[in-house]
Amino acid sequence: MSRWRTASGGRIDRTRALAFRFDGVRYEGLAGDTLASALLANGVHLVGRSFKYHRPRGIVTAGAEEPSALVAVRRDGARETPNLRATQVELYEGLDALSQNRWPSLARDVGRINDWLSPLFPAGFYYKTFMWPKSAWKSVYEPVIRRAAGLGVAPTEPDPDRYAQCYAHCDVLVVGAGPAGLAAALAAADQGARVMICDEQSEFGGSLLADRHATIDGASAAAWVARAVADLAAHPRVVCLTRTTAFGYFPHNLIGLAERLTDHLDAPAPQAARERLWQVRARSVVLATGAVERPLVFPGNDRPGVMLAGAARTYLNRYGVRVGDRVVLVTATDAGYQAAIDLRDAGVAVVGIADLRPTVSGELPAAARAAGIEVTESATVLGTSGNRRVAGITIARTTSAGTGGDRRTLACDAVLMSGGFTPSVHLFSQSRGKLRWSDDHQAFLPDRSAERERSAGACRGATDLAAAIADGLEAGAESAPTRTAAARRITARSPRSADRGYLGAVPLASDASQKSFVDWQHDVTIKDLAIATREGFRSIEHVKRFTTMGMATDQGKTSNLNALAIVARAIDAPIPSVGLTTFRMPYTPTTFGAFAGPSRGDLFDPVRRTPIHAWAAAAGAVFEDVGMWKRARYFPERGEDMHAAVARECRAVRSACGLFDASTLGKIEVVGPGAAEFLERLYVNSWANLGVGRCRYGILCREDGFIYDDGVIARLAADRFHVTTTTGGAPRVLAMMEDYRQTEWPDLEVWLTSTTEQWAVIAVQGPDAREVLRGCVEGIDLDAAALPHMSVAAARICGIEGLVMRVSFSGELGYELNVPADHGLGVWKAVHAAGAAHGITCYGTETMHVLRAEKGYIIVGQDTDGTVTPDDAGLSWAVGRKKPDFVGRRSLQRQSMQAPDRKQLVGLRPRDGRTLLDEGAQVAERPDQRPPMRLVGHVTSSYQSAVLGVPIALAMVAGGRARLGQTLYIPMPGGDVEVEVVSPVFYDPKGERINA
Amino acid sequence: MMKIPCPHCGVRDENEFQCGGTAHLARPALDASDREWGEYLYFRDNPKGSHRERWRHAYGCGRWFNVVRDTLTHEISAVYPITETPAR
């Protein structure tokens, strides 16, 4: 047994030794230890290097508020978790932990030079230093800063663990299972409420787990906790969650809980989930989150071995670990004395107590004095000594002259500090409850709740045990939906301590040469805060951002109030007027895995596949993602690359016949007596005059007059329209239609139904299309006179009832066969077989893009960008001029929307006939310009045209239609490319082929 | 995440709904001035406190309705039909 482990007591299992490693060195701990308690039991205090100055750092606390002892825990290459608080890592056999922020080793770290150079980088250093030369940013400053910044290293392999998620509802959720939380849960359960109670620790009990003196209902604290936990566990309406952090408080009493399921096990089952994310909707919430002890801000307060008094007491009473052989207590509270007394009882030499308060009385100080411990009143600390662990502390008495008298240096190997207690109001503050400053408590306390919530116990200032329990009982009973049972009573007694504590730097700290740390994790000292106030910062929010105080992973749990007090004193303002920074979720860092849950890999996002997908895949198609859809991009034959496949597919459509799966087109059926009027008001086109059996290309604008979507609309009956939308646009078009239908025009009798998934759409395009379909389509005449371009007819298609639409997005004679989705694959196969004699060729979206670009047909979202009007896109012919109104009309009337220098759709042809332009490239009027260049447009689409044998492009160019024939220049990586402005219709400008 | 009382389906989680922004914006007639039209299109109040806004139960009944919500506390104090215009 190590010499720092006590012979008996505590909640560890002395029969179960656990081997673990820290920085590769083997140590032994006990079941029930945390990594922190096990290291301390081995006399290890140096556990890390600080963020900025690389100073040696130790363990400051015993809980979630730990600002200093951050370590990485490694299970394997993919399972290495950085920045874990050693105080919360439960020990298991074989645990492998690593210190952080040191090189080459924790004991000899070259970054320590930053500490000696610290006068060179005060607060705001980064903002002021790396200003010039500008070119050094990318090459020097940023890489160096990035390497120096950040703590810990994230694993590079994918996370192999599973994470579960669940939802729960309850009447009362109790956060925190210390004395107040346990009392609240018991009281709520007594009233028949459905209760959930959670605590971040491995067992319930909170502060009682380290309390040797309190008695509750006549029993010891430990015995009472055991009984309370057993009562709750046996209760059918109570759910108890240990190792569960309430990390976020969201509107309407939704609380996020992260339950750690396997991190404490040496060999988790391979299928077991590592964590479970709970989303709990609670009728009422009781926050019993306790309070954290504040460090004192004195010179040299960050040496390993300097820790909170309450933490030392916890290590002793809960884990059976003495934090040193000779300790000094620096305190401004009575509670600190309890730690000194307990340590002395355990055989530790208490060398002295320095109390900042001018006069000290009370139960606990009296007991300390009675035990022969020397107490110095009106004390302050002038500095500490020791390299990798504290070895001495110099204390003095503050005199009325403002100097230190009776200066004495005490040799010690641990310093305990107790600056008072800061209520944990993080969740209350997240819930948007209002805090108020209490002079009595020297703390911010919950005032007005924003939710159905109440705080109980130490988090609302009730630090006395009996008061905390009474408060918890009241909170629990009050939060239950009904109050029928008699109120439970619990009597408790513990030594009284009246603790306002101390805020800010200790007297004379600013005169010392040693640094006085406020924020351990971000290395913020009182000097940094002084600089911030000298620079003129007054609000704590600004001071925080300038100094990074409280911005580390601990969000300043131990530092915020001290910083606030220091700033308030510096600018001579009361603390509440300096403000309090906003607490954000999560309370402690929460894994991304918990949030992602099962939504990864195949389950990350739904995948939509057309009925023809499997056939296309078997035919060797290469797919692309279009929204959630998988679409066949091209169908390469043996040895072909995309370029070759697309060229072959394009030639086939232009010369014979192509087959294309257009099932992803969005489809909405608009039905009812008001259907025509509805479309009349919504789309820019006229619809009243569209005959039954006819189709029209429709454009949908937003109220701002810019193109939102487009598609062919077929009139199937006087009161029935088949509206098609872009592949990605269907949901938002339907949503927009519903919005207008319900909110603007409730007078219209019209119904909207999404039919995207009901129809498979098979496009048959090319000069031979009609001949191919003659054998497939029954019941209608396919001749041009009977079924001209832009018409629609119901027919039997390969034996299936469907719609034949004569439409074309390729510029060729074309048909789109609409059949019920279940028959899509069968019809596809039959048409493919029927077309074999004509050399029918399957083509994908890439060829579709080339063919439409050759015809100057836009793709919404590629050639348009949300600032393009119908006229800009060359589509003013589609706008119904005689209509009284339509969505976007008023905007299109604005003068600026008709300005001649707006960007307009044009075609571009490279003068050299060879160079393929980059999509997104800029368009310039003059060559060889230097930045800042005058640019007049941009390339929106660019392809190699197989049928023309040259590259072609579409572009939006200012005043483009007036520039036909002009030469413009496209700056590209290889130099300017000279292009001619041409009509966007490159192929068959008269439209003879489409009407064939 | 808020709980929103859909007048047709009952109380549901916020992620079933789509927010449609400020309610009771009257779409001006075609002869409105450019300024009036521009304000309708682009200018919105951003009140701290009570706000009348449109919500749609997108993953439920699909219907739009009006909500009075406190932008600070998220408290929903009233829900009423989309066609109803309250007295100011």
Side-chain angles (χ1 to χ4, degrees), chain A residues 584-640:
Chain A
R584 311 279 184 200
M585 80 110 186
Y587 174 69
T588 48
T590 307
T591 62
F592 283 115
F595 290 110
S599 302
R600 29 195 306 205
D602 288 345
L603 298 181
F604 177 68
D605 208 19
V607 173
R608 299 174 81 179
R609 295 186 178 87
T610 75
I612 294 133
H613 182 92
W615 188 94
V622 176
F623 291 88
E624 68 169 339
D625 293 336
V626 182
M628 288 182 186
W629 288 101
K630 295 283 180 201
R631 298 198 73 179
R633 191 173 184 196
Y634 56 98
F635 288 80
E637 290 186 348
R638 191 182 304 274
E640 279 183 337

Side-chain angles (χ1 to χ4, degrees), chain A residues 105-294:
Chain A
S105 74
L106 184 55
R108 297 171 205 290
D109 168 61
V110 297
R112 183 70 203 275
I113 195 165
N114 286 4
D115 197 15
W116 319 127
L117 299 177
S118 63
L120 298 180
F121 3 86
F125 164 71
Y126 296 99
Y127 306 131
K128 293 175 178 174
T129 308
F130 301 111
M131 303 284 285
W132 45 262
K134 214 174 158 188
S135 59
W137 246 116
K138 274 275 165 255
S139 54
V140 184
Y141 298 149
E142 193 184 331
V144 169
I145 292 171
R146 281 201 187 282
R147 207 170 326 123
L151 272 170
V153 181
T156 52
E157 290 175 44
D159 187 342
D161 284 319
R162 288 182 57 234
Y163 296 84
Q165 296 184 334
C166 66
Y167 297 84
H169 295 259
C170 62
D171 294 323
V172 184
L173 170 68
V174 181
V175 178
L182 288 172
L186 289 166
D190 286 346
Q191 303 296 336
R194 287 182 305 149
V195 177
M196 291 180 73
I197 176 169
C198 68
D199 194 285
E200 63 192 353
Q201 301 209 40
S202 59
E203 52 180 334
F204 283 2
S207 61
L208 298 175
L209 299 173
D211 199 324
R212 288 196 303 129
H213 305 281
T215 55
I216 308 174
D217 280 349
S220 71
W224 183 80
V225 168
R227 208 162 63 215
V229 169
D231 283 357
L232 290 172
H235 203 293
R237 292 164 79 80
V238 177
V239 174
C240 298
L241 297 168
T242 54
R243 302 188 174 93
T244 303
T245 302
F247 64 83
Y249 201 129
F250 305 93
H252 297 180
N253 269 359
L254 181 75
I255 317 293
L257 312 179
E259 183 183 13
R260 290 169 296 280
L261 300 166
T262 61
D263 274 2
H264 61 293
L265 303 174
D266 56 0
Q271 286 310 305
R274 180 183 175 211
E275 292 182 11
R276 183 186 289 132
L277 178 79
W278 291 77
Q279 294 180 65
V280 180
R281 190 72 82 170
R283 187 180 166 278
S284 307
V285 173
V286 175
L287 295 177
T289 46
V292 297
E293 197 171 13
R294 265 195 315 280

